[in-house]
Structure formats: structure tokens, C-alpha cells
Amino acid sequence: MRRILAATAVVLLISTAACTDKDDEAAGAGATTKVTVGVIPIIDVAPIYLGKHKGFFARRGIDLKLSPEQGGAPIVEGVLGGKYQFGFSNVTSLLAAQSGGAPLKAVAAGVSSNGRPGRDFSAIVVGDNSPIRSARELGGKSIAVNTLKNLGDTTVRQSVRRAGGKADNLRFTAMPFPDMPGALQSGKVDAAWVVEPTLSAVLTQGGRVLASNFVDTAPDLTVALYFTSQGTVTAKSKLVADFTEAIRESLRYAAAHPGEVRDIVGTYTQINDTVRIAMILPTWPEDINRNSIARVAALGERDGIFKKAPAIEQLLP
């Protein structure tokens, strides 16, 4: 990962230095710009799908394509390598990349915890027949997360600590969110960290919530951000401004239209009507909770995820 970050950073700096104001001139002349954004097919990104459907991007000259990935880390690599112009990623992936020297810049808030213990859109869950009754009992157990050494690890550990358990011997297993309900049912893993719509899929199968890991980590946690490369910020300032405006409009729209959020999620994930109706929604504030990101950074340092302390203000808008 470090070699990839270093190499792609050099390529980006060289290539973007060669760009001129032609990109901004073309955008200003009413040209349509093709933009690909790396996303994770979970409820978090419902606003950008709604924004595309409602024409918020098209009205700003952006021909938007959304490309699904399993987690934030491959999206970061995709943006650094030029595969994506923008990406959606959890804050831990972004902080880790920034700490490693990657020239990234957040442009807008992505999604936040709703702050309700037991009713957040993210949770640590177990299957219906599990004997585990508390996050305190997870020591030594296998826990599914979508990617390793990332936001799932950090927040799950925090829930275990808050419950009075030992968080240094958890066994994490990486798998896509949609595979987790089956893994719990078959006993392949003892517990799983899930977000919607996978959370409701587990609950409708009789699963149970052990803890709300985002709520345990920080009040109103900013979970993820939309971001780009620093080179894109420099070379394509108008595109970045237009994209940011469209995202902010999309966030406002999603917050005001929960019914449409439920409908749009069914267009990019495979869920039934029971799950769609039962989903617990996050919040989509336009403002970034900087204190919560500092908390995630501190926990990540404690868990050894970052090789040095991230420069948070260099990453944030």
C-alpha cells in the first residue's frame, strides 16, 4: 500500500503539473465533463445516487458514473492512480493515506452516525443462535469487517473497550458486507460489523445488535467523506467546485426525503422490500464534525493503523 501511495503521488504531481487552465475553460464554456466516482454500495452513498437521478450533477455539466468498490482503501488507490476523479471513503482510509504522504483533499461530508445507541445505521451483530450477549464477550472471537486495519477494526475495538472487554485479541476477517448475513448464519464468523442495508438483512433473519460502534466512538461521528486528489484541486478547480456544490445539494435532498432514500438504495443493492422499509437511516449533514475525526485519528494511532499522526487539517476542506 505504501509503495502504491508513493508511486501514484509522484505520477499525480507530474501529470497535474502539466495540466493548464484548459480544463476549467472547457467547463466554463458549457462542455460536459465525464466524472467517475468510486463508491461503496451501502446506504451511505444514497445521496449521490439521488443527486445523479435528480440531475444535480448534470445541471452543472457533470456526466456522472458511479463505480462500486468493496471498501474505502481501494477507492483511495483508485483516486491516486487516476481511475476515479473523486471518491467516497471512510475517514480512517483517508487518514491512513494522508499519513502515508498521499496528496488527498476532502471536498464534502459523506455520511454521519445518527447518534442513537441500538438504533444507528451501523452495528456489531451476532446471529440468532449466538451465545454472545455483549461486546465485552468478543475477545478472541472472529469478527467480519469489510476491510482490514480500517474503520471497522477501530470502532469495534472501541465498543469492546466501552463494554469492559479486552480489544487486543479480536480476530478480524475481511468480506463484502452482503456476504456477512450468510457467514453469521453458517457460523463462519462469530460476529460482524455491518451497516445498512446489511444491518436490516441480519435483523430480519433474527440476528441481534451487540453494540452501536459508531455511537461508542464519538458523538455524531462523521463516518466518511467525498474526496479527490490535490492535483485535481489545483488543475480543475471549477470541476471540484461544481462537484462539491452538487454533492452538498444531494446531501440536503437526501436528508429531506427519507422515502426516496429507501427507494434509491434498492437500485444499487439487492434488498427485498422488508429490508428496504426496515432500514435505519444515517444522517447527512453538510458540515464535517472535525472533533469526531480527531477522535478516530487518535484511536487509529492507538491501534497502530497509522505510521505517523495524520495531519487532519491538511486533509479536510
Side-chain angles (χ1 to χ4, degrees):
M1 177 66 173
R2 293 175 184 173
R3 289 194 298 269
I4 293 173
L5 292 177
T8 51
V10 172
V11 171
L12 275 171
L13 291 173
I14 294 173
S15 61
T16 54
C19 295
T20 67
D21 293 333
K22 291 180 181 179
D23 295 303
D24 284 347
E25 290 173 2
T32 297
T33 303
K34 292 184 180 297
V35 170
T36 303
V37 181
V39 295
I40 308 168
I42 52 180
I43 198 170
D44 307 37
V45 296
I48 196 170
Y49 278 89
L50 276 174
K52 179 180 180 180
H53 179 68
K54 293 293 179 180
F56 300 158
F57 294 89
R59 285 205 297 270
R60 293 172 172 87
I62 296 174
D63 181 5
L64 188 67
K65 177 183 177 182
L66 301 172
S67 181
E69 293 276 10
Q70 181 171 327
I75 295 175
V76 168
E77 293 182 16
V79 169
L80 289 171
K83 180 180 179 181
Y84 306 128
Q85 288 77 38
F86 297 89
F88 172 93
S89 181
N90 68 73
V91 295
T92 300
S93 289
L94 294 176
L95 290 168
Q98 194 281 330
S99 173
L104 297 177
K105 192 70 175 177
V107 298
V111 68
S112 294
S113 163
N114 66 31
R116 294 184 292 166
R119 289 292 295 170
D120 195 20
F121 79 107
S122 166
I124 306 167
V125 294
V126 292
D128 55 345
N129 295 320
S130 174
I132 301 172
R133 297 293 169 179
S134 166
R136 181 177 182 174
E137 301 171 40
L138 289 175
K141 300 295 192 295
S142 60
I143 305 165
V145 294
N146 68 324
T147 54
L148 299 176
K149 295 186 180 299
N150 215 293
L151 183 67
D153 300 27
T154 293
T155 56
V156 168
R157 285 193 178 100
Q158 184 61 9
S159 285
V160 172
R161 293 184 189 111
R162 289 200 63 174
K166 295 182 178 180
D168 56 354
N169 64 338
L170 306 180
R171 296 186 289 114
F172 293 106
T173 299
M175 67 177 64
F177 285 120
D179 293 350
M180 294 183 188
L184 285 172
Q185 291 283 61
S186 67
K188 183 177 180 179
V189 294
D190 298 307
W193 165 54
V194 293
V195 296
E196 292 289 11
T198 307
L199 171 56
S200 287
V202 171
L203 297 181
T204 57
Q205 294 176 5
R208 291 179 287 106
V209 171
L210 290 183
S212 297
N213 50 317
F214 288 169
V215 181
D216 288 341
T217 299
D220 304 318
L221 174 68
T222 291
V223 176
L225 303 166
Y226 288 95
F227 70 100
T228 188
S229 68
Q230 186 61 58
T232 298
V233 171
T234 301
K236 302 182 180 181
S237 58
K238 185 178 188 307
L239 174 62
V240 172
D242 289 342
F243 180 87
T244 302
E245 286 180 3
I247 282 290
R248 291 176 71 90
E249 184 176 6
S250 301
L251 294 170
R252 291 193 298 271
Y253 191 88
H257 297 84
E260 293 188 44
V261 166
R262 296 182 187 279
D263 290 339
I264 201 74
V265 171
T267 67
Y268 63 87
T269 64
Q270 294 182 347
I271 56 174
N272 58 41
D273 284 343
T274 301
V275 171
R276 181 179 61 81
I277 294 169
M279 286 188 303
I280 301 169
L281 302 186
T283 61
W284 288 287
E286 293 182 65
D287 294 332
I288 297 169
N289 184 342
R290 282 171 152 77
N291 288 336
S292 74
I293 294 178
R295 175 65 170 159
V296 171
L299 290 172
E301 285 187 69
R302 176 177 179 174
D303 294 334
I305 292 177
F306 312 129
K307 64 179 183 180
K308 66 176 183 179
I312 298 174
E313 290 305 318
Q314 290 182 20
L315 171 67
L316 299 183

